[in-house]
Amino acid sequence: MANIVTNIINPHISVDCVIFGFDDDNLNILLVDRTLKEKKTDHIIFNDFTLTGNHIYEKEDLNDAAHRILYDLTGLKNIYLEQFSVFAHPERLSKPNDKLWLINQGKDPESRIISVGYFALIATNNVTLEWKGRNVDWFPINKIKELAFDHNQILNSALKALQTKLLNEPIGFELLPEKFTLSQLQKVYEVILGTSLDKRNFRKKVSRMKYLIPLNEKQKGVAHKPAQLFVFSREIYEKTKRNVFDFSI
Amino acid sequence: MANIVTNIINPHISVDCVIFGFDDDNLNILLVDRTLKEKKTDHIIFNDFTLTGNHIYEKEDLNDAAHRILYDLTGLKNIYLEQFSVFAHPERLSKPNDKLWLINQGKDPESRIISVGYFALIATNNVTLEWKGRNVDWFPINKIKELAFDHNQILNSALKALQTKLLNEPIGFELLPEKFTLSQLQKVYEVILGTSLDKRNFRKKVSRMKYLIPLNEKQKGVAHKPAQLFVFSREIYEKTKRNVFDFSI
């Protein structure tokens, strides 16, 4: 991260983070409540949700901005974070509610803002959430309806990027606690890929992953027969991953 | 592409294209001459090279801008083009020559411009180049020295993105003429990955690619024994590519 950052906001560029979390059952997304109220009566004009995002500072690089936004929200510093695409459609902020919201925020709804999309992977239960006095919460990805701005498009694009990445690198571990079971790992693959996987084939694949280390330790406090726990070793993964000669064309 | 675009320039956002070409021997990059001369004497103050890029228009989306820039340069419309990263470091335009150049162009060298990076793949010999009265030419990637702005960083980042893509998808064909030999295909892999590959292993891999169609036709006008020609079938590739169940973790 940058050491010193002056906090003058760049009005043209923002960062939006699609924050994925996993709770043993669902792939969840962190959303921020966007409620517009009439000032005098407190009557709710509309109520919907946005991804977590903000403008970058003038002297700040993009990755620093994305880390800052996540840190403000979660208090966590070493989160898996990846830039995946840029969203710049000239009409991306022009739905009626978006214009109302921007005007209410003292912004020109006609001015163009492009947004750089990041996705983050968080083990849901590790996090206490705060976001500048606004409500934030986790929502199962398959229950998310129309979001603010172009945020459905950003979300879909992030999910595709995550799926591609998961098929090429062992990043599913970022969504799990340090010690996990093979059933939890399989569920991570299933919720991200949106499909169910055959348990036997999955275990066969998994048995070839040298970077998946079995522990001499089992689950505690579960109703069913406790399963063996595993950890992911990034060090062994880095040492054993395919080199370029072994290309799969 | 957008149908109607008003040509007001967005001063904050640009697109830079790393254009890769292949000439049977080298991986080449298309560069634009940046020569700054003293106005009165025509004395050359400095002379270096940039990637091909420009600002986006206010009413134009990013992909449209990238396609427009490539079309202006090559006259070609259906070029393989992919967005790979964003470059936004606050100091990215602040080398002494960059500042001089910007001032000479009537621009404020302190104003911040972020650039969206694309890479393009072109079969070199298909193209007649023109670029608004400036010199453009192909340079072998391993002979490129210090470029303008942060363009070395953009180039390196594009090469990494191309390497990753090549190991996961058959995109090397975009750099070849429609009909090609297996030696040409191997060379494409070698120059992009920056390594030499064993011919026998390569042929073995290739024999499993159902989307590589042998023709009843050989090279013409070559000094050596003419080799068999092949074409790439995107249709067969799309039909036979791995589905998500067959994941390689």
Coordinates of all heavy atoms in Angstrom, one line a residue, chain A residues 179-219:
Chain A
K179 N -8.5 -24.5 8.6 CA -8.7 -26.0 8.6 C -10.1 -26.3 8.1 O -11.0 -25.7 8.6 CB -8.5 -26.5 10.0 CG -7.1 -26.3 10.6 CD -7.1 -26.7 12.1 CE -5.7 -26.3 12.7 NZ -5.7 -26.8 14.1
F180 N -10.2 -27.2 7.2 CA -11.5 -27.5 6.5 C -11.6 -29.0 6.2 O -10.6 -29.7 6.1 CB -11.7 -26.6 5.3 CG -10.5 -26.7 4.3 CD1 -10.4 -27.7 3.4 CD2 -9.4 -25.8 4.4 CE1 -9.3 -27.9 2.6 CE2 -8.3 -25.9 3.6 CZ -8.3 -27.0 2.6
T181 N -12.8 -29.4 5.9 CA -13.0 -30.8 5.5 C -13.2 -30.8 3.9 O -13.4 -29.8 3.3 CB -14.4 -31.3 6.1 OG1 -15.5 -30.6 5.5 CG2 -14.4 -31.1 7.6
L182 N -13.0 -32.0 3.4 CA -13.2 -32.2 1.9 C -14.6 -31.9 1.5 O -14.8 -31.4 0.4 CB -12.8 -33.6 1.5 CG -11.3 -34.0 1.8 CD1 -11.0 -35.3 1.2 CD2 -10.4 -32.9 1.1
S183 N -15.6 -32.1 2.4 CA -17.0 -31.8 2.0 C -17.1 -30.3 1.8 O -17.8 -29.8 0.9 CB -18.0 -32.3 3.1 OG -17.9 -33.7 3.1
Q184 N -16.5 -29.6 2.8 CA -16.5 -28.1 2.6 C -15.9 -27.6 1.3 O -16.4 -26.8 0.6 CB -15.8 -27.4 3.8 CG -16.6 -27.5 5.1 CD -15.8 -26.9 6.3 OE1 -14.7 -27.3 6.5 NE2 -16.4 -26.0 7.0
L185 N -14.7 -28.2 1.0 CA -14.0 -27.9 -0.2 C -14.9 -28.2 -1.4 O -15.0 -27.3 -2.3 CB -12.7 -28.6 -0.3 CG -11.8 -28.2 -1.5 CD1 -11.4 -26.7 -1.4 CD2 -10.5 -29.1 -1.5
Q186 N -15.5 -29.3 -1.4 CA -16.4 -29.7 -2.6 C -17.5 -28.7 -2.7 O -17.8 -28.2 -3.8 CB -16.9 -31.1 -2.4 CG -17.8 -31.5 -3.6 CD -18.3 -33.0 -3.5 OE1 -17.6 -33.8 -2.9 NE2 -19.3 -33.3 -4.3
K187 N -18.1 -28.3 -1.6 CA -19.2 -27.3 -1.6 C -18.8 -26.0 -2.2 O -19.5 -25.3 -2.9 CB -19.7 -27.2 -0.2 CG -21.1 -26.4 -0.1 CD -22.2 -27.3 -0.5 CE -23.5 -26.5 -0.6 NZ -24.6 -27.1 -1.2
V188 N -17.5 -25.6 -1.9 CA -17.0 -24.3 -2.4 C -17.0 -24.4 -4.0 O -17.5 -23.5 -4.6 CB -15.6 -24.0 -1.9 CG1 -14.9 -23.0 -2.8 CG2 -15.6 -23.5 -0.5
Y189 N -16.5 -25.5 -4.5 CA -16.5 -25.7 -5.9 C -17.9 -25.7 -6.5 O -18.2 -25.1 -7.5 CB -15.7 -27.0 -6.3 CG -14.2 -26.7 -6.4 CD1 -13.5 -26.8 -5.2 CD2 -13.6 -26.4 -7.5 CE1 -12.1 -26.6 -5.2 CE2 -12.3 -26.1 -7.6 CZ -11.5 -26.2 -6.4 OH -10.2 -26.0 -6.4
E190 N -18.8 -26.4 -5.8 CA -20.2 -26.5 -6.3 C -20.9 -25.1 -6.3 O -21.6 -24.8 -7.3 CB -20.9 -27.5 -5.4 CG -20.5 -28.9 -5.7 CD -21.2 -29.9 -4.8 OE1 -21.8 -29.6 -3.8 OE2 -21.3 -31.1 -5.3
V191 N -20.7 -24.3 -5.3 CA -21.5 -23.1 -5.2 C -20.9 -22.1 -6.2 O -21.6 -21.3 -6.8 CB -21.6 -22.4 -3.8 CG1 -22.4 -23.3 -2.9 CG2 -20.2 -22.1 -3.2
I192 N -19.6 -22.1 -6.4 CA -19.0 -21.2 -7.4 C -19.4 -21.6 -8.8 O -19.7 -20.8 -9.7 CB -17.5 -21.0 -7.2 CG1 -17.2 -20.4 -5.9 CG2 -16.9 -20.2 -8.4 CD1 -15.7 -20.3 -5.5
L193 N -19.2 -22.9 -9.1 CA -19.5 -23.3 -10.5 C -21.0 -23.5 -10.8 O -21.4 -23.7 -11.9 CB -18.8 -24.6 -10.8 CG -17.2 -24.6 -10.6 CD1 -16.6 -25.9 -10.8 CD2 -16.6 -23.6 -11.7
G194 N -21.8 -23.4 -9.7 CA -23.3 -23.5 -9.9 C -23.7 -24.9 -10.3 O -24.6 -25.0 -11.2
T195 N -23.1 -25.9 -9.8 CA -23.4 -27.3 -10.3 C -23.1 -28.3 -9.1 O -22.4 -27.9 -8.2 CB -22.6 -27.6 -11.5 OG1 -23.0 -28.9 -12.0 CG2 -21.1 -27.7 -11.2
S196 N -23.6 -29.5 -9.2 CA -23.2 -30.4 -8.2 C -22.1 -31.4 -8.8 O -22.1 -31.6 -10.0 CB -24.4 -31.2 -7.7 OG -25.0 -32.0 -8.7
L197 N -21.2 -31.8 -8.0 CA -20.1 -32.6 -8.4 C -20.2 -34.0 -7.8 O -20.6 -34.2 -6.7 CB -18.8 -31.9 -8.0 CG -18.5 -30.6 -8.6 CD1 -17.3 -29.9 -7.9 CD2 -18.3 -30.6 -10.1
D198 N -19.8 -35.0 -8.5 CA -19.7 -36.3 -8.0 C -18.7 -36.5 -6.9 O -17.5 -36.2 -7.1 CB -19.4 -37.3 -9.2 CG -19.3 -38.7 -8.7 OD1 -20.4 -39.3 -8.4 OD2 -18.2 -39.2 -8.6
K199 N -19.1 -37.0 -5.8 CA -18.2 -37.1 -4.6 C -17.0 -37.9 -4.9 O -15.9 -37.5 -4.6 CB -19.0 -37.6 -3.4 CG -18.1 -37.6 -2.1 CD -19.0 -37.9 -0.9 CE -18.1 -38.3 0.3 NZ -18.9 -38.6 1.5
R200 N -17.2 -39.1 -5.5 CA -16.0 -40.0 -5.8 C -15.0 -39.3 -6.7 O -13.8 -39.4 -6.5 CB -16.5 -41.3 -6.4 CG -16.4 -42.4 -5.3 CD -16.7 -43.8 -5.9 NE -15.7 -44.3 -6.8 CZ -15.9 -45.2 -7.7 NH1 -17.1 -45.6 -8.0 NH2 -14.8 -45.7 -8.4
N201 N -15.5 -38.7 -7.8 CA -14.6 -38.1 -8.7 C -13.9 -36.9 -8.1 O -12.7 -36.7 -8.3 CB -15.3 -37.5 -10.0 CG -15.7 -38.7 -10.9 OD1 -15.0 -39.7 -10.9 ND2 -16.6 -38.4 -11.8
F202 N -14.6 -36.2 -7.3 CA -14.0 -35.1 -6.6 C -12.9 -35.5 -5.7 O -11.8 -35.0 -5.7 CB -15.0 -34.3 -5.8 CG -14.5 -33.0 -5.1 CD1 -14.4 -31.9 -5.9 CD2 -14.1 -33.0 -3.8 CE1 -13.9 -30.7 -5.3 CE2 -13.5 -31.8 -3.3 CZ -13.4 -30.7 -4.0
R203 N -13.1 -36.6 -4.9 CA -12.1 -37.1 -4.0 C -10.9 -37.6 -4.8 O -9.7 -37.5 -4.3 CB -12.6 -38.2 -3.1 CG -13.8 -37.8 -2.3 CD -13.4 -37.3 -0.9 NE -14.5 -36.5 -0.3 CZ -14.9 -36.5 0.9 NH1 -14.3 -37.4 1.8 NH2 -15.9 -35.7 1.4
K204 N -11.1 -38.2 -5.9 CA -10.0 -38.7 -6.8 C -9.1 -37.5 -7.2 O -7.9 -37.5 -7.1 CB -10.6 -39.4 -8.0 CG -9.8 -40.6 -8.4 CD -10.7 -41.6 -9.2 CE -10.7 -41.3 -10.6 NZ -11.7 -42.2 -11.4
K205 N -9.8 -36.4 -7.7 CA -9.1 -35.2 -8.1 C -8.2 -34.7 -6.9 O -7.1 -34.3 -7.0 CB -10.0 -34.1 -8.5 CG -10.7 -34.3 -9.8 CD -10.0 -33.6 -10.9 CE -10.8 -33.7 -12.2 NZ -10.0 -33.3 -13.4
V206 N -8.9 -34.6 -5.8 CA -8.3 -34.0 -4.6 C -7.1 -34.8 -4.1 O -6.1 -34.3 -3.6 CB -9.4 -33.9 -3.5 CG1 -8.9 -34.1 -2.1 CG2 -10.2 -32.6 -3.6
S207 N -7.2 -36.1 -4.3 CA -6.1 -37.0 -3.8 C -4.8 -36.7 -4.6 O -3.7 -37.0 -4.2 CB -6.4 -38.5 -4.0 OG -6.5 -38.8 -5.3
R208 N -4.9 -36.0 -5.8 CA -3.7 -35.7 -6.5 C -3.1 -34.3 -6.2 O -2.1 -33.9 -6.7 CB -4.1 -35.7 -8.0 CG -4.2 -37.1 -8.6 CD -4.3 -37.1 -10.1 NE -5.4 -37.9 -10.6 CZ -6.4 -37.4 -11.3 NH1 -6.5 -36.2 -11.6 NH2 -7.4 -38.3 -11.6
M209 N -3.9 -33.6 -5.4 CA -3.4 -32.2 -5.0 C -2.4 -32.4 -3.8 O -2.8 -32.5 -2.7 CB -4.6 -31.4 -4.5 CG -5.6 -31.2 -5.5 SD -6.9 -30.1 -4.7 CE -8.3 -30.5 -5.6
K210 N -1.1 -32.3 -4.2 CA -0.1 -32.4 -3.2 C -0.1 -31.3 -2.2 O 0.5 -31.4 -1.1 CB 1.3 -32.5 -3.9 CG 1.4 -33.7 -4.8 CD 2.9 -34.1 -5.0 CE 3.0 -35.4 -5.8 NZ 3.2 -35.1 -7.3
Y211 N -0.7 -30.2 -2.6 CA -0.7 -29.0 -1.7 C -1.8 -29.0 -0.7 O -2.1 -28.0 0.0 CB -0.8 -27.7 -2.6 CG -1.8 -27.8 -3.7 CD1 -3.1 -27.5 -3.4 CD2 -1.4 -28.1 -5.0 CE1 -4.1 -27.6 -4.4 CE2 -2.4 -28.2 -6.0 CZ -3.7 -27.9 -5.7 OH -4.6 -28.0 -6.7
L212 N -2.6 -30.1 -0.7 CA -3.7 -30.2 0.3 C -3.2 -31.2 1.4 O -3.1 -32.4 1.1 CB -4.9 -30.8 -0.5 CG -6.3 -30.8 0.2 CD1 -6.6 -29.3 0.6 CD2 -7.3 -31.4 -0.6
I213 N -3.0 -30.7 2.6 CA -2.3 -31.4 3.6 C -3.3 -32.0 4.6 O -4.0 -31.2 5.3 CB -1.3 -30.5 4.3 CG1 -0.5 -29.7 3.4 CG2 -0.4 -31.4 5.2 CD1 0.4 -30.4 2.5
P214 N -3.4 -33.3 4.7 CA -4.3 -33.9 5.8 C -3.7 -33.7 7.2 O -2.5 -33.8 7.4 CB -4.3 -35.4 5.4 CG -3.1 -35.7 4.6 CD -2.7 -34.4 4.0
L215 N -4.5 -33.3 8.1 CA -4.1 -33.1 9.5 C -4.4 -34.3 10.3 O -5.3 -35.1 10.0 CB -4.7 -31.9 10.1 CG -4.4 -30.5 9.4 CD1 -5.3 -29.4 10.0 CD2 -2.9 -30.2 9.5
N216 N -3.7 -34.5 11.4 CA -4.0 -35.6 12.3 C -5.1 -35.0 13.3 O -4.9 -35.0 14.5 CB -2.7 -36.0 13.1 CG -2.8 -37.3 13.7 OD1 -3.9 -37.9 13.6 ND2 -1.8 -37.8 14.3
E217 N -6.2 -34.6 12.8 CA -7.1 -33.8 13.5 C -8.5 -33.9 12.9 O -8.6 -33.9 11.6 CB -6.7 -32.4 13.6 CG -7.3 -31.5 14.6 CD -6.7 -30.0 14.6 OE1 -5.6 -29.8 14.1 OE2 -7.5 -29.1 15.0
K218 N -9.6 -34.0 13.7 CA -10.9 -34.1 13.1 C -11.8 -32.9 13.6 O -11.4 -32.1 14.5 CB -11.6 -35.4 13.6 CG -10.9 -36.6 12.9 CD -11.7 -37.8 13.0 CE -11.0 -38.9 12.1 NZ -11.8 -40.1 12.1
Q219 N -12.9 -32.7 12.9 CA -13.9 -31.7 13.2 C -14.3 -31.9 14.7 O -14.3 -33.0 15.2 CB -15.1 -31.9 12.4 CG -15.1 -31.3 11.0 CD -16.4 -31.6 10.3 OE1 -16.9 -32.7 10.2 NE2 -17.1 -30.5 9.9

